[in-house]
């Protein structure tokens, strides 16, 4: 243990709680004892003291000491969710890491890894909730679930928001509105999906009060006015039933189920009815205390329907067939002698707990509910699966294993506007760009992830905020094929590669047509297809592609066409077009290379005699690059960079014609190279770039091509370089120019 930790331990031991804090602590401990299976008093007390100590002197908007907030959150954890003491401790400390000097390491030292894990989770999802502005609650929920590995993290966040909403009146109006809309849009639906109906209702009423205070006040006032009449009616309605149930020794509670204000409002809106008509639909709930069973619910049903006439159509048995979210209850609607309809719900205490607290209640009743199958969403399915499987573990073990390992195949990322996008796991910025729009994908030149420039091929993580920087022209790269996972991006790249190949083939066809015109022969497409097969090409297109790429000698084709045209047939065997001449060429050049070079590879230095060579203009190799030579059928060697796509194609299809080449030591020529520069646009940027090149690098520039858009600058500088070192120097220097974000070699 470090000295600092020892100090803090001592400080916590010495810390004196004041009177108010002491009574808060004993309230909280009492609540824990009554609501939780077991409570480690020491753990909760230590967390309580660290909470008071670390928020010491800080006040809330209301003027109250800040520590009261985490204490209230801890109380909600114990009272509403009643899960365990670790989540109570984490609730007490949920704001410490974010707002005070307390670190996660310290928390782990003082408490245990679980408490650390919970607080870390809350801090992280708070960031997501607070920094994003999203209306897609559904996707948002998935995001939260995939980020929060432990469901207790989400519950602490709910409790935190609930207390903040309860005390929202102290904030300025603007902030109130922002929080309320956010809560309505995100927390409400989330709470609903978790089956936390009581919390959801409270969220809705608290928000409604802020968003539409007049309607809220109107309904609240009406409810108050009607309260007496309502209670009287319920009393009269229930009296005979209560007597009968008591006579039969039932233990029960009756709730008049006052609907929450927002749901009354929504019904008024939806059904276009005045308050009275909505409100006068009475609903009464009979809750049977433990150890009553579901059979007892049926006995209560029979007592009620003995007294009042049921409407058969309105009977629902959610006990035998629970709702998807685990809800169980008997529903019936009966008519009083005065002709008033009353809805009656009958359920056990356990069923009521699950109806109110949803998922959280499942901890209390470990075996959970059994489910129907309609409208089951993935989440509830999964929860049910976990809950249904027989588990011998203790309750706490169960909670620990309760990992939210759902939605593992998807990640959720944000656009700059805070819009959520769902992508498959492993997606890159390129996938994201295509997801936004195919045009964005085509024109993407760089990406910013969480405000930082990154290469387009970078893989994305959950919660990343991604901005794509586009240029004016299409900027696709065949190599991206390896960096994309989405169908959209793959399809477009495949199309692009095809187009590119077609272009090379078109060039090859042109070469052929010129040669044919010069030699005064003509051949139809059909004939060319037929003849191409003698060179072992699949079709004429493939042959033209090779001609275009400089890999197949057009003269060979010419000879064959000429022979075919004059004789109407070809006498030579296929062999003659192929291997022998190949070997000869290979051998000849290799021997020449050995004579001149280092014995292993062909030296390229411009002084070689006997070997004609040229640089492939698809990849513009410069000294220092890894290169390969490709012996073409007309006898010269084309030098490609070994990472060139065309070279790869040739290696795949014609590996025997590849020859090792290497650069000679001293090369005096200059090579053309290009770099792409991306950065924030500013006045004088181009000047600074050319200055750096000319002055400090003594580099001549052939051309510069710039475009700028939306404050971003993209430039392609074509320069004369002596070798790779030189080019790398240039890249390094240009990267240091103010405002420049990314410099890459450009082909
Ligand atoms: Mn908080």
């Amino acid at each position: 243990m470090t000295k600092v930790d020892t100090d803090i331990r001592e400080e916590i031991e010495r810390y004196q709680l004041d009177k108010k804090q002491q009574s808060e602590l004993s309230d909280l401990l009492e609540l824990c004892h009554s609501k939780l299976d077991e409570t480690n008093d020491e753990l909760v007390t230590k967390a309580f003291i660290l909470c008071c100590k670390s928020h010491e002197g800080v006040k809330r908007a209301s003027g109250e000491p800040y520590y009261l907030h985490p204490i209230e959150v801890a109380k909600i954890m114990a009272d509403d969710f009643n899960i365990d003491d670790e989540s109570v401790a984490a609730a007490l400390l949920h704001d410490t890491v974010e707002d005070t000097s307390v670190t996660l390491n310290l928390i782990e030292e003082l408490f245990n890894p679980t408490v650390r894990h919970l607080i870390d989770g809350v801090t992280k999802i708070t960031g997501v909730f607070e920094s994003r502005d999203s209306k897609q609650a559904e996707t948002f929920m998935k995001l939260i679930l995939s980020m929060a590995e432990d469901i207790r993290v989400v519950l602490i966040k709910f409790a935190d928001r609930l207390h903040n909403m309860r005390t929202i009146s102290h904030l300025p109006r603007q902030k109130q509105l922002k929080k309320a809309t956010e809560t309505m849009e995100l927390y409400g639906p989330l709470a609903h999906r978790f089956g936390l109906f009581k919390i959801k209702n409270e969220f809705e009423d608290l928000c409604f009060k802020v968003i539409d205070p007049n309607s809220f006040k109107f309904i609240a006032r009406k409810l108050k006015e009607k309260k007496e009449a309502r209670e009287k009616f319920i009393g009269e309605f229930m009296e005979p039933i209560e007597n009968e149930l008591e006579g039969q020794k039932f233990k029960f509670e009756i709730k008049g189920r006052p609907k929450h204000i927002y749901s009354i409002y929504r019904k008024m809106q939806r059904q276009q009815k005045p308050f009275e008509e909505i409100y006068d639909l009475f609903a009464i709930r009979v809750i049977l205390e433990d150890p009553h069973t579901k059979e007892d619910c049926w006995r209560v049903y029979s007592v009620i329907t003995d007294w009042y006439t049921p409407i058969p159509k309105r009977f629902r048995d959610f006990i035998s067939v629970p709702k998807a979210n685990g809800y169980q209850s008997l529903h019936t609607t009966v008519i009083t002698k005065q002709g008033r309809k009353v809805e009656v719900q009958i359920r056990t205490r356990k069923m009521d707990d699950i109806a109110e607290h949803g998922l959280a209640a499942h901890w209390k009743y470990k075996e959970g509910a059994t489910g129907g199958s309609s409208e089951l969403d993935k989440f509830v399915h999964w929860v049910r699966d976990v809950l249904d499987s027989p588990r011998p573990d203790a309750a706490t073990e169960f909670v620990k294993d309760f990992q939210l390992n759902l939605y593992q195949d998807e990640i959720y990322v944000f656009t700059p506007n805070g819009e959520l996008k769902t992508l498959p796991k492993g997606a890159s910025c390129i996938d994201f760009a295509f997801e936004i729009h195919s045009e964005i994908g085509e024109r993407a030149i760089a990406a910013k992830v969480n405000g930082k420039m990154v290469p387009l091929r970078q893989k994305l993580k959950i919660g990343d905020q991604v901005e794509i920087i586009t240029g004016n022209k299409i900027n696709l790269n065949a190599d991206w094929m390896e960096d994309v996972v989405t169908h959209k991006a793959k399809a477009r790249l495949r199309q692009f590669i095809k187009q590119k190949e077609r272009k090379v083939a078109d060039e090859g066809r042109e070469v052929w047509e010129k040669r044919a015109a010069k030699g005064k022969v003509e051949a139809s497409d059909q004939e060319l297809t037929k003849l191409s097969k003698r060179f072992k090409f699949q079709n004429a297109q493939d042959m033209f592609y090779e001609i275009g790429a400089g890999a197949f000698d057009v003269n060979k084709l010419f000879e064959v066409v000429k022979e075919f045209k004059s004789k109407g047939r070809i006498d030579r065997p296929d062999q003659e077009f192929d291997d022998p001449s190949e070997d000869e060429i290979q051998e000849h050049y290799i021997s020449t290379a050995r004579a001149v070079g280092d014995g292993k590879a062909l030296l390229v230095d411009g002084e070689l005699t006997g070997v004609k060579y040229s640089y492939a203009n698809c990849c513009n190799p410069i000294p220092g690059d890894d290169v390969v030579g490709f012996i073409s059928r007309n006898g010269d060697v084309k030098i490609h960079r070994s990472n060139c796509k065309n070279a790869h194609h040739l290696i795949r299809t014609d590996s025997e014609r590849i020859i090792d080449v290497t650069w000679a030591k001293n090369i005096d020529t200059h090579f053309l190279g290009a770099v792409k520069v991306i950065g924030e646009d500013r006045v004088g940027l181009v000047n600074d770039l050319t200055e750096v090149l000319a002055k400090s690098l003594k580099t001549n520039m052939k051309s510069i091509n710039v475009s700028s858009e939306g404050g971003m600058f993209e430039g392609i500088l074509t320069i004369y370089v002596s070798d790779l070192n030189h080019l790398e120097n240039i890249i390094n220097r240009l990267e240091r120019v103010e405002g420049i974000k990314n410099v890459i070699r450009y082909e």
Side-chain angles (χ1 to χ4, degrees):
M1 212 185 309
T2 64
K3 186 173 176 303
V4 179
D5 294 336
T6 320
D7 286 353
I8 286 173
R9 267 169 212 269
E10 280 171 10
E11 270 182 60
I12 287 175
E13 265 159 44
R14 280 202 313 266
Y15 194 84
Q16 288 293 317
L17 295 175
D18 61 28
K19 271 228 173 75
K20 184 167 169 51
Q21 289 168 337
Q22 260 163 14
S23 87
E24 287 286 350
L25 175 60
S26 54
D27 284 356
L28 178 63
L29 285 173
E30 202 180 300
L31 196 59
C32 288
H33 292 154
S34 75
K35 294 282 186 161
L36 306 180
D37 285 351
E38 349 165 30
T39 307
N40 177 345
D41 282 13
E42 201 202 317
L43 178 90
V44 175
T45 305
K46 213 199 295 173
F48 187 95
I49 294 173
L50 184 58
C51 162
C52 293
K53 185 181 147 357
S54 54
H55 295 296
E56 201 168 29
V58 183
K59 296 221 174 340
R60 301 195 82 209
S62 60
E64 286 180 312
Y66 192 89
Y67 66 76
L68 287 175
H69 163 67
I71 291 172
E72 288 305 319
V73 176
K75 281 185 188 164
I76 296 172
M77 285 311 288
D79 200 10
D80 287 85
F81 298 137
N82 34 72
I83 294 172
D84 58 13
D85 46 7
E86 283 173 337
S87 38
V88 170
L92 283 168
L93 300 168
H94 79 271
D95 279 330
T96 52
V97 172
E98 181 87 354
D99 298 345
T100 77
S101 59
V102 173
T103 63
L104 285 169
N105 284 340
L106 177 67
I107 283 178
E108 186 166 345
E109 285 270 347
L110 290 174
F111 302 93
N112 58 47
T114 309
V115 176
R116 175 205 175 115
H117 172 67
L118 293 176
I119 294 171
D120 188 26
V122 176
T123 311
K124 276 188 191 138
I125 67 169
T126 300
V128 172
F129 267 116
E130 257 126 64
S131 66
R132 315 295 184 189
D133 177 29
S134 173
K135 290 181 182 172
Q136 298 148 285
E138 183 75 5
T139 323
F140 203 91
M141 185 186 81
K142 289 185 183 176
L143 170 72
I144 296 299
L145 292 183
S146 51
M147 280 183 87
E149 289 172 338
D150 189 312
I151 197 156
R152 288 174 290 181
V153 167
V154 183
L155 297 179
I156 295 171
K157 195 61 213 159
F158 278 138
D160 178 36
R161 178 52 66 112
L162 192 59
H163 183 248
N164 283 334
M165 286 305 297
R166 281 176 185 169
T167 52
I168 199 169
S169 62
H170 301 286
L171 292 181
R173 174 81 187 141
Q174 275 308 338
K175 272 199 179 158
Q176 284 188 28
L177 270 175
K178 191 175 173 284
K179 289 261 173 220
T181 25
E182 184 185 274
T183 306
M184 199 68 139
E185 280 162 4
L186 297 178
Y187 288 80
L190 263 172
H192 181 82
R193 292 291 292 273
F194 273 81
L196 306 165
F197 303 109
K198 198 177 152 219
I199 303 277
K200 179 206 136 212
N201 290 349
E202 192 176 344
F203 271 142
E204 286 181 347
D205 275 0
L206 290 166
C207 295
F208 183 49
K209 193 176 174 183
V210 172
I211 294 166
D212 187 351
N214 289 332
S215 303
F216 181 89
K217 273 182 218 149
F218 170 79
I219 296 171
R221 198 185 65 232
K222 287 269 191 183
L223 280 175
K224 216 172 154 196
E225 282 167 15
K226 294 254 172 180
K227 199 174 170 227
E228 219 172 291
R230 179 188 184 88
E231 277 169 1
K232 187 164 167 268
F233 174 78
I234 291 172
E236 280 167 10
F237 176 86
M238 282 312 294
E239 203 191 341
I241 308 286
E242 276 178 277
N243 289 338
E244 184 61 35
L245 290 179
E246 270 159 14
Q248 294 194 26
K249 304 268 177 283
F250 273 98
K251 274 190 177 167
F252 59 93
E253 186 197 352
I254 286 167
K255 282 187 185 170
R257 199 166 66 109
K259 286 203 176 75
H260 80 291
I261 292 178
Y262 183 64
S263 79
I264 294 174
Y265 171 78
R266 270 229 315 257
K267 274 200 176 143
M268 285 164 63
Q269 293 290 314
R270 228 184 4 239
Q271 302 176 10
Q272 292 292 310
K273 283 180 179 164
F275 172 83
E276 279 72 16
E277 266 180 67
I278 301 291
Y279 181 71
D280 290 346
L281 293 172
F282 282 91
I284 283 163
R285 185 182 301 162
V286 180
I287 300 160
L288 295 177
E289 303 293 359
D290 289 344
H292 283 299
T293 59
K294 65 179 181 185
E295 284 74 25
D296 295 326
C297 295
W298 287 101
R299 285 172 57 207
V300 173
Y301 172 77
S302 116
V303 167
I304 292 169
T305 49
D306 276 352
W307 207 269
Y308 300 108
T309 314
I311 305 172
K313 242 183 13 189
R314 302 286 296 272
F315 173 77
R316 302 295 298 273
D317 173 12
F318 293 117
I319 288 184
S320 312
V321 186
K323 283 192 194 177
N325 56 22
Y327 177 87
Q328 284 186 296
S329 191
L330 284 183
H331 289 194
T332 182
T333 300
V334 297
I335 299 182
T336 67
K337 308 235 157 42
Q338 299 81 26
R340 278 187 114 161
K341 285 181 196 164
V342 179
E343 189 191 321
V344 185
Q345 302 180 345
I346 307 158
R347 54 176 84 152
T348 63
R349 175 60 69 191
K350 174 186 154 186
M351 293 173 193
D352 191 56
D353 267 353
I354 290 172
E356 299 257 281
H357 301 300
L359 199 51
H362 286 292
W363 271 292
K364 219 166 133 192
Y365 308 100
K366 277 134 220 143
E367 77 276 24
T370 49
S373 63
S374 64
E375 62 159 323
L376 275 191
D377 60 59
K378 264 189 188 170
F379 179 67
V380 173
H381 242 321
W382 174 77
V383 169
R384 186 77 26 77
D385 283 352
V386 175
L387 292 167
D388 279 349
S389 65
R391 301 175 70 98
D393 325 33
T396 46
E397 281 304 307
F398 176 70
V399 172
K400 271 180 206 148
D401 289 348
F402 210 103
Q403 298 284 307
L404 293 171
N405 53 1
L406 191 60
Y407 309 120
Q408 289 292 310
D409 305 337
E410 291 177 344
I411 57 165
Y412 308 95
V413 294
F414 295 91
T415 68
N417 305 329
E419 199 187 327
L420 263 171
K421 293 281 169 198
T422 308
L423 290 169
K425 210 173 183 176
S428 63
C429 298
I430 306 161
D431 288 303
F432 178 86
F434 277 102
E435 190 60 31
I436 303 286
H437 197 281
S438 56
E439 215 166 277
I440 306 277
E442 284 168 356
R443 286 161 206 275
I445 53 172
K448 269 186 181 173
V449 170
N450 304 323
K452 250 183 71 193
M453 274 285 196
V454 299
L456 279 170
R457 46 182 50 175
Q458 177 152 319
K459 298 227 180 304
L460 295 170
K461 295 188 306 294
I462 283 172
D464 276 347
Q465 186 163 39
V466 192
E467 182 183 352
I468 299 295
I469 295 148
T470 54
N472 299 329
K473 1 181 238 305
I474 291 188
N475 182 49
L476 291 170
N477 183 337
D479 291 351
W480 287 352
M481 207 64 192
E482 285 151 34
D483 305 302
V484 299
V485 293
T486 54
H487 172 73
K488 249 188 213 174
K490 276 194 171 158
R492 180 63 184 95
L493 283 174
R494 229 175 265 130
Q495 187 198 2
F496 167 72
I497 292 167
K498 273 237 172 81
Q499 271 172 0
K500 216 171 133 183
E501 285 176 355
R502 201 174 308 136
K503 218 180 128 201
V504 175
D506 285 349
E507 283 165 16
R509 181 184 281 273
E510 248 174 65
V511 170
W512 158 248
E513 276 164 4
K514 273 186 195 149
R515 182 67 190 87
K518 196 174 140 203
K520 299 198 169 60
V521 296
E522 258 176 59
S524 68
D525 279 359
Q526 264 171 329
E527 288 164 338
L528 286 168
T529 300
K530 201 174 144 196
L531 292 172
S532 75
K533 296 204 195 296
R534 299 200 65 111
F535 297 103
K536 298 194 172 146
F537 289 113
Q538 288 277 316
N539 49 44
Q541 189 74 0
D542 281 4
M543 179 172 67
F544 287 137
Y545 176 80
E546 297 265 310
I547 294 173
F552 178 63
D553 184 2
V554 71
N555 291 314
K556 298 268 174 199
L557 176 62
F558 178 76
E559 291 304 322
V560 170
V561 172
K562 210 169 97 179
E563 182 181 349
F564 178 74
K565 281 288 169 183
S566 58
K567 294 195 209 161
R569 61 172 198 280
I570 310 276
D571 289 337
R572 288 184 260 185
D574 287 359
Q575 275 307 90
E576 217 177 291
F577 303 119
D578 223 54
D579 293 342
S581 60
E582 197 72 16
D583 281 349
E584 276 167 28
I585 292 170
Q586 191 104 342
E587 230 152 69
H588 167 70
Y589 285 112
I590 289 172
S591 61
T592 316
R594 284 209 180 108
V596 185
D598 60 6
K600 279 183 205 145
L602 180 65
L603 274 178
V604 181
D605 64 356
E607 287 169 18
L608 274 181
T609 47
V611 183
K612 275 200 296 175
Y613 69 89
S614 58
Y615 299 105
N617 49 21
C618 49
C619 54
N620 292 320
I622 59 174
D625 277 333
D626 277 330
V627 281
V628 291
F630 185 81
I631 303 163
S632 66
R633 292 187 201 227
N634 60 11
D636 75 352
V637 175
K638 267 252 188 305
I639 315 288
H640 288 266
R641 278 166 67 188
S642 47
N643 60 3
C644 166
K645 197 84 195 172
N646 288 337
H648 289 177
H649 178 82
L650 295 170
I651 289 168
R652 267 202 312 276
T653 55
D654 254 331
S655 60
E656 69 274 16
R657 287 198 276 169
I658 293 293
I659 179 171
D660 280 350
V661 289
T662 188
W663 300 96
K665 288 209 173 59
N666 299 305
I667 300 175
D668 225 8
T669 22
H670 274 89
F671 292 79
L672 217 47
V675 290
K676 177 144 82 178
V677 179
I678 295 163
E680 281 157 14
D681 201 9
R682 63 173 169 85
V683 177
L685 182 59
V686 174
N687 231 1
D688 288 358
L689 290 173
T690 48
E691 189 118 315
V692 167
L693 285 175
K695 290 224 173 113
S696 50
L697 293 161
K698 307 252 181 291
T699 302
N700 288 323
M701 189 159 64
K702 183 171 177 250
S703 68
I704 176 165
N705 201 330
V706 300
S707 63
S708 87
E709 201 175 65
M712 289 305 296
F713 166 93
E714 183 201 333
I716 291 164
L717 316 180
T718 313
I719 46 197
Y720 293 99
V721 293
S722 51
D723 58 18
L724 194 60
N725 246 337
H726 185 197
L727 185 68
E728 273 165 4
N729 256 335
I730 292 171
I731 290 177
N732 281 337
R733 285 304 307 268
L734 292 178
E735 268 172 349
R736 299 209 298 266
V737 172
E738 189 199 332
I740 293 303
K741 300 290 185 193
N742 197 13
V743 184
I744 50 166
R745 182 168 175 187
Y746 185 75
E747 287 148 25

